[in-house]
Amino acid sequence: MLFLDVDGTLIPLGTPMAAQPGMPHGHTPAPALPADAHPLLHKIDPEHGRRLEALPCDLVWATTWTSDANDVLAPLLGLPTLTVVGWPDADEIGPLHWKTRGLVEWAQGRPFVWVDDEISHADQQWVSTHHHGLALLHQVDPRRGLTEHDFTVIGSWLRRTR
């Protein structure tokens, strides 16, 4: 299973996509969007959808976009409707990311990859102590979003855990 964040992961927060090193060759710009669309949607690489679907795992939205990810992002990426993690109303205080406990609970001991731009050492430690299955917490550079290198690391890990 792959828990997928959006902001900083699928939507880079840095310079325009075409100017970024490490992007897959032949980056395809997102299609024209309505004027009232999220101001950074044009940074999404539609090719990421194909690459994500090719990974040997189930994709799950792990984002504050919740069901909007299926309504807005899935069509841009050519993805089907994905399962969405439901978030508790509790606020996480301290160094642990507010998603960490919920994702481990959601995984229920199954192997998982968490792809996010806000993963810290505290999250790595907590998951290694509290999750009884294999887990890869993969931090993406929020300025660049997912890159060829990220897909290589994630794909390699998934193939080794099958």
Side-chain angles (χ1 to χ4, degrees):
M1 166 171 20
L2 186 145
F3 293 119
L4 185 60
D5 179 49
V6 172
D7 295 312
T9 303
L10 287 174
I11 301 177
L13 303 175
T15 59
M17 297 284 275
Q20 293 180 22
M23 291 305 300
H25 180 70
H27 165 74
T28 308
L33 300 165
D36 63 344
H38 185 288
L40 299 179
L41 281 182
H42 69 280
K43 292 186 173 192
I44 288 180
D45 183 346
E47 185 64 18
H48 284 347
R50 183 190 63 74
R51 306 249 357 238
L52 288 164
E53 273 203 303
L55 294 170
C57 64
D58 294 325
L59 301 173
V60 178
W61 292 119
T63 173
T64 56
W65 282 66
T66 60
S67 63
D68 287 343
N70 280 321
D71 297 339
V72 177
L73 302 171
L76 288 175
L77 294 163
L79 292 173
T81 298
L82 304 178
T83 302
V84 179
V85 174
W87 302 114
D89 290 333
D91 290 327
E92 188 69 44
I93 297 174
L96 197 62
H97 193 285
W98 62 270
K99 293 179 182 178
T100 307
R101 294 176 200 271
L103 294 179
V104 167
E105 184 178 313
W106 186 279
Q108 298 179 342
R110 294 171 290 184
F112 73 87
V113 177
W114 175 20
V115 181
D116 203 306
D117 63 308
E118 296 180 342
I119 296 169
S120 72
H121 181 69
D123 301 307
Q124 299 274 0
Q125 291 261 159
W126 197 90
V127 169
S128 70
T129 302
H130 295 91
H131 180 63
H132 303 295
L134 297 172
L136 171 65
L137 279 63
H138 184 78
Q139 185 178 22
V140 173
D141 180 343
R143 296 165 298 172
R144 297 171 58 191
L146 281 169
T147 64
E148 181 73 27
H149 173 75
D150 297 313
F151 278 106
T152 299
V153 169
I154 294 163
S156 177
W157 187 88
L158 286 166
R159 284 186 288 284
R160 282 194 318 268
T161 60
R162 290 197 97 185

